[in-house]
Amino acid sequence: MPMSKERNGAVERIRHASWAGLVALGLAFSTLLVPLDQFNWMMQARFANFEASGDIVYVRSNQNLTDENAPERRIALAETLDRLRNAGVDRVYVTMSFDASSTPAADARLRQALNDFEGKAFLVENISSGMNGQLQMTETTPAIGQDIPLVASLRWRNFLGYVWDVPFTVNLNDRQYPSLAASIAGMQQYSGEFRINYGFDLASIPSYRVEDLSANKGPLGIEREIPQELAGKVLVLGSFNRSDAVDPNIPGQMEVPAPMIDIYAAETLKAGYTQRTESQMVALIVLALLFLLSQIGRKAIRYTGYGLLIASLPVALLVTAQMGLMISIVGALVLLGLYGLMRARANWRSNYRMVDADTGLPTFAALENDKTVADTVPAIIVARIHRFEEVRKTLPTELHAEYLLRIVGRLKAAKKDAVIYLGQGHSIAWTFPEKEPALIRDHLEGLRALFSSPLLVGENQVDVGITFGVDITPSPNVARRLAAALDAAERTTETYDPILIAELASDEDLIWNISLQARIDTALSNGEIYTIYQPKVLVRTGELIGVEALVRWRDPVKGLIPPDHFIRQCENAGRMSHLTRHVLAEACRAGNAFAANGLPLAVAVNISATLVHERDVVRMVSEVLAETGFDAQLLTLEITETYRISNHDRAAEVLGELAALGPKISMDDFGVGAASLEALQRLPFHEIKIDRLFTSAIKDDPKALAIVRSVLSLGKDLRIIVVAEGVEDEATLTILRDSGCVVAQGFAISRPISFDEILKFQQLDPQTRKANMV
């Protein structure tokens, strides 16, 4: 059963969501979205405003306490540590690197102060990446660090200067160190890493100066007391001096010392804010919601859902920031952005009627805007579906699209690579590379034969009447050509005129026609008018026995000029004899070239019936044979449009003189119009060619098959050759073989091709050609 318009729209939206999700997830799993993720987390940090636990205190010094040339500073630090221990401080972490020894007394004094904490004073070893990419650690001098517990601070900065992920432990030189943040939080037993949440208010982290905690007397000469609130706290001692080349950044804060990174990390652990949802997971959730929304038929509800989904992302960012949960909405935003672009493009195409909403097929508007059609100027064919509205009224609404698609499917069965365009109501269009009317008619008669059997639409059998209008003018104005083909299709009838070819209509083309005679002479001398050849083969064996020479004109400005057009103009301008002589001479020379290549082929040339009323054609053929030296026994003269022969007695004399020169005389398009039994009886034909009107229909029409078999029997009785032309498919070729047809030509065997391609065609052995034909 066909899908409704709403269902087609839902399928298209799901397809767009799938592609957008695929691309967004691919980007999310790669590193391409990392810069945007950074800004996402920074925004969350700014949204949140958590109070710090207050258990971690930062103590800074404005002096370089590690200066080995200032031992008094180390002694003063030792005295401060003693005071802090006596005040009941729980733990102390010294983040300054004492990598050089000072005086033995100063170093010993500081080491003793650290030892007196009985394992609760830690020295922090700062780890960084060296020039070779290997981790390296600034080690504390043994004079101070001997027997003092060590922790490590490893801060991986990204290209923006931020640290987001911190390890629980650091492995270096076959030794494992607790990270500073994990040790402060008392979680050094864990492994792996966690993400820092920078949502804590910096002002809520207690901070003191070392100088305010030292034994020095204040301005009034009174010794400073250690604040009671430091009892039971964890102190992190560091230097306030900041080096921008080394220290990382904290979102929203300026001039913050590096140890603050570790304090934020420790506060994250203590608060339990280590949960995070990566960009991929959020994108998957949004993709699932998009799938659900895409199936909603009502546009207002669906668009409301889209709006709520988009609005929910910043809301989710804000809410999760307050919850201490870090998420990234970047992948979801990319997904929605891509989906929005795809839907906008689809809506644009729909708004401009480029695509039919019911069937998904391109419309006439798409054909009119197709630059390739404008550049290549193929034939434009418009099919008129008769009784279209009557059928649509009869069928249920849900079967309307299927009815059209069934018609298109049958058209594509004969032209698989064709792009089918839908017009208003009962019109369907496509392009065709060939512009020779005979070939186009052959193609379209084959299509009419395909529609002789009814279509199955749902559970209904529907008869389809189809006729065609064609435009083969060489204009690049696609809209005008489509209108001309459509007009021709509207003037067709199923019984009398099923195929109409539009005439030239533009002023430009009419002006061009005025000078056609001179143009033809120029084209002949410049090689713009040339011949191609369609093979004739023995049906039973596939052996190549001859070719038919066909004329083509490729104008440097207008491109390929349809043969029927310029041939008719040649007749009107009195240049038909001149053109025929050129084609005949080219064909005879090609015949000689075939023979020189070991391929003595019979060559057929079309002769207009308008030329057989005068003996000039006899002289022309005689002269060409003499000039080229071509064997007249291998030449066949195909008389076209015999209905134009008004004087059969005169024509019989001329054709008799032509036959006396050696060529065979063939009657083209036998069975159509005035190509009748009377002409066959009165004129000296050696060959008749069954018109493609009958050949193309034999596999579907018993009458056509009976006519073809009768003609084959007639030829046998008259002892003349019968050629089936317009063989379009393998089934037709098989029927002809079974019916006793000897010679055939048509697209199922080969299209008209160049001289060199004929040689390649012949290189295939007959059995291979036969296999390809069947």
Side-chain angles (χ1 to χ4, degrees):
M1 295 293 290
M3 291 186 294
S4 65
K5 180 177 179 180
E6 291 79 8
R7 185 60 180 164
N8 283 330
V11 170
E12 182 184 55
R13 291 189 293 271
I14 290 174
R15 185 173 68 250
H16 288 166
S18 300
W19 277 111
L22 185 64
V23 174
L25 288 172
L27 292 173
F29 278 107
S30 70
T31 60
L32 297 177
L33 297 184
V34 169
L36 297 177
D37 285 332
Q38 309 294 315
F39 288 108
N40 179 106
W41 297 329
M42 290 168 61
M43 289 177 61
Q44 274 202 297
R46 301 300 297 272
F47 289 158
N49 192 27
F50 304 126
E51 288 288 327
S53 64
D55 296 334
I56 307 170
V57 180
Y58 180 62
V59 180
R60 66 185 186 277
S61 173
N62 292 331
Q63 294 180 324
N64 182 8
L65 300 181
T66 66
D67 187 357
E68 66 271 21
N69 296 318
E72 68 280 3
R73 296 180 183 175
R74 300 190 181 191
I75 294 172
L77 176 60
E79 293 176 351
T80 301
L81 289 173
D82 289 340
R83 287 167 54 81
L84 292 172
R85 175 174 50 78
N86 293 330
V89 169
D90 182 37
R91 280 171 289 157
V92 172
Y93 293 87
V94 180
T95 64
M96 296 85 77
S97 296
F98 294 92
D99 54 348
S101 298
S102 182
T103 63
D107 290 344
R109 177 70 179 90
L110 180 55
R111 182 165 61 86
Q112 182 60 47
L114 293 169
N115 268 324
D116 288 343
F117 268 88
E118 298 179 349
K120 292 188 176 183
F122 300 85
L123 289 172
V124 179
E125 303 288 43
N126 294 296
I127 300 175
S128 60
S129 179
M131 296 296 292
N132 59 359
Q134 299 295 320
L135 293 179
Q136 59 186 23
M137 182 172 63
T138 304
E139 296 186 2
T140 303
T141 176
I144 297 175
Q146 186 175 0
D147 299 328
I148 305 300
L150 301 177
V151 295
S153 177
L154 175 60
R155 309 181 187 101
W156 286 110
R157 295 187 305 158
N158 62 23
F159 62 95
L160 293 176
Y162 295 101
V163 176
W164 291 103
D165 297 312
V166 175
F168 283 96
T169 59
V170 179
N171 296 310
L172 185 64
N173 300 330
D174 298 326
R175 183 175 175 182
Q176 187 177 77
Y177 299 89
S179 70
L180 173 56
S183 180
I184 293 173
M187 296 184 180
Q188 59 268 35
Q189 73 275 19
Y190 294 97
S191 60
E193 60 182 24
F194 62 95
R195 184 157 296 162
I196 303 175
N197 190 318
Y198 288 105
F200 296 94
D201 183 6
L202 180 63
S204 67
I205 299 176
S207 178
Y208 293 87
R209 294 190 311 135
V210 171
E211 290 75 16
D212 294 335
L213 303 177
S214 66
N216 296 330
K217 295 181 179 180
L220 299 179
I222 302 173
E223 184 175 327
R224 295 184 178 90
E225 295 290 336
I226 298 295
Q228 295 181 359
E229 57 268 22
L230 293 183
K233 306 294 185 183
V234 176
L235 273 60
V236 180
L237 276 63
S239 173
F240 184 79
N241 294 328
R242 186 175 186 273
S243 172
D244 289 330
V246 177
D247 293 335
N249 298 316
I250 291 179
Q253 304 296 337
M254 300 294 292
E255 297 297 325
V256 176
M260 274 295 179
I261 301 293
D262 301 284
I263 294 177
Y264 269 92
E267 291 287 1
T268 299
L269 290 175
K270 289 177 68 66
Y273 294 158
T274 57
Q275 298 296 316
R276 62 187 184 186
T277 302
E278 299 293 355
S279 182
Q280 303 93 314
M281 181 58 67
V282 179
L284 282 172
I285 295 172
V286 171
L287 180 59
L289 293 174
L290 266 185
F291 283 150
L292 293 175
L293 290 172
S294 297
Q295 299 181 59
I296 298 176
R298 294 184 61 182
K299 188 174 181 180
I301 297 176
R302 189 171 65 252
Y303 274 43
T304 301
Y306 289 155
L308 292 175
L309 181 58
I310 294 171
S312 69
L313 290 178
V315 172
L317 200 67
L318 178 61
V319 171
T320 55
Q322 301 301 322
M323 297 170 59
L325 173 63
M326 295 187 68
I327 67 169
S328 176
I329 63 171
V330 173
L333 290 175
V334 171
L335 166 60
L336 291 175
L338 291 173
Y339 178 75
L341 289 175
M342 291 181 182
R343 296 306 304 151
R345 180 176 180 269
N347 290 334
W348 179 85
R349 292 177 64 187
S350 178
N351 290 338
Y352 283 86
R353 297 169 45 245
M354 294 291 185
V355 175
D356 180 72
D358 293 331
T359 63
L361 293 172
T363 64
F364 279 11
L367 176 57
E368 292 174 354
N369 288 277
D370 193 327
K371 189 176 184 299
T372 302
V373 175
D375 292 340
T376 58
V377 199
I380 294 178
I381 301 173
V382 172
R384 176 187 176 190
I385 311 302
H386 292 263
R387 300 178 298 281
F388 180 81
E389 291 300 331
E390 178 183 343
V391 172
R392 281 173 59 92
K393 289 178 182 178
T394 305
L395 291 174
T397 303
E398 61 268 21
L399 292 179
H400 289 179
E402 182 180 352
Y403 174 48
L404 274 173
L405 290 174
R406 293 290 188 190
I407 295 173
V408 171
R410 187 161 290 186
L411 289 172
K412 283 201 168 187
K415 189 67 176 171
K416 293 183 172 57
D417 57 344
V419 178
I420 306 296
Y421 302 88
L422 293 186
Q424 295 292 328
H426 52 245
S427 300
I428 298 174
W430 67 95
T431 61
F432 191 67
E434 294 288 341
K435 299 181 75 172
E436 183 177 347
L439 296 177
I440 292 174
R441 288 182 182 276
D442 188 18
H443 167 64
L444 297 180
E445 289 295 349
L447 289 179
R448 277 175 53 80
L450 285 176
F451 282 91
S452 61
S453 58
L455 294 174
L456 184 63
V457 182
E459 298 179 356
N460 308 289
Q461 287 192 336
V462 179
D463 292 324
V464 178
I466 188 167
T467 57
F468 306 96
V470 185
D471 183 278
I472 55 176
T473 58
S475 170
N477 189 328
V478 180
R480 178 179 293 178
R481 295 184 60 215
L482 179 59
L486 185 60
D487 178 70
E490 291 295 333
R491 291 185 282 110
T492 58
T493 62
E494 290 186 78
T495 305
Y496 299 107
D497 295 305
I499 301 171
L500 285 181
I501 297 179
E503 298 291 337
L504 287 172
S506 69
D507 294 339
E508 175 189 353
D509 291 334
L510 292 173
I511 293 173
W512 192 83
N513 288 338
I514 294 174
S515 60
L516 184 61
Q517 178 177 336
R519 291 178 185 276
I520 289 174
D521 292 338
T522 302
L524 288 171
S525 61
N526 291 343
E528 296 168 14
I529 294 179
Y530 57 95
T531 55
I532 57 177
Y533 306 90
Q534 186 169 40
K536 296 180 178 180
V537 301
L538 293 176
V539 175
R540 189 156 299 280
T541 65
E543 179 183 355
L544 177 64
I545 60 169
V547 295
E548 179 182 355
L550 299 170
V551 65
R552 295 290 186 270
W553 182 3
R554 187 174 295 278
D555 183 80
V557 176
K558 289 188 170 290
L560 192 65
I561 309 298
D564 269 15
H565 171 63
F566 72 80
I567 289 174
R568 188 71 66 200
Q569 293 298 326
C570 280
E571 290 179 346
N572 296 336
R575 305 298 292 169
M576 194 63 208
S577 179
H578 188 53
L579 177 63
T580 301
R581 183 186 185 96
H582 173 81
V583 175
L584 180 62
E586 287 292 311
C588 289
R589 282 191 285 268
N592 288 332
F594 287 135
N597 282 272
L599 190 61
L601 291 177
V603 178
V605 176
N606 291 317
I607 301 292
S608 172
T610 59
L611 298 180
V612 300
H613 293 100
E614 302 294 337
R615 283 188 170 84
D616 288 344
V617 69
V618 179
R619 183 174 62 253
M620 176 186 67
V621 173
S622 177
E623 290 174 355
V624 171
L625 287 173
E627 291 170 4
T628 61
F630 184 59
D631 184 356
Q633 299 295 322
L634 295 176
L635 178 64
T636 298
L637 302 177
E638 295 187 4
I639 311 304
T640 63
E641 299 178 315
T642 54
Y643 69 89
R644 303 177 72 182
I645 299 177
S646 58
N647 188 331
H648 281 88
D649 293 334
R650 180 65 171 172
E653 293 177 7
V654 173
L655 292 177
E657 292 181 16
L658 285 173
L661 296 176
K664 296 179 180 65
I665 309 300
S666 175
M667 183 181 187
D668 198 12
D669 304 326
F670 180 74
V672 177
S676 63
L677 293 174
E678 180 188 3
L680 178 61
Q681 188 268 331
R682 298 185 61 180
L683 300 177
F685 290 114
H686 306 92
E687 175 186 282
I688 57 176
K689 300 185 73 174
I690 304 175
D691 189 77
R692 54 179 51 85
L693 173 65
F694 304 106
T695 307
S696 61
I698 61 175
K699 66 178 186 297
D700 298 307
D701 187 347
K703 291 183 179 180
L705 178 58
I707 291 171
V708 169
R709 285 176 173 170
S710 297
V711 175
L712 291 172
S713 177
L714 176 64
K716 184 177 180 181
D717 293 340
L718 295 176
R719 298 182 182 278
I720 62 176
I721 300 170
V722 178
V723 179
E725 62 178 345
V727 180
E728 285 287 303
D729 51 53
E730 298 170 356
T732 300
L733 194 59
T734 300
I735 296 172
L736 288 172
R737 183 183 298 113
D738 295 340
S739 300
C741 181
V742 178
V743 182
Q745 68 183 93
F747 283 8
I749 299 166
S750 172
R751 288 176 176 271
I753 54 180
S754 67
F755 174 87
D756 291 335
E757 289 173 312
I758 289 290
L759 297 180
K760 293 178 182 178
F761 182 87
Q762 174 59 16
Q763 289 173 2
L764 296 173
D765 63 86
Q767 291 302 319
T768 302
R769 285 200 298 273
K770 181 180 177 183
N772 291 339
M773 289 158 53
V774 181

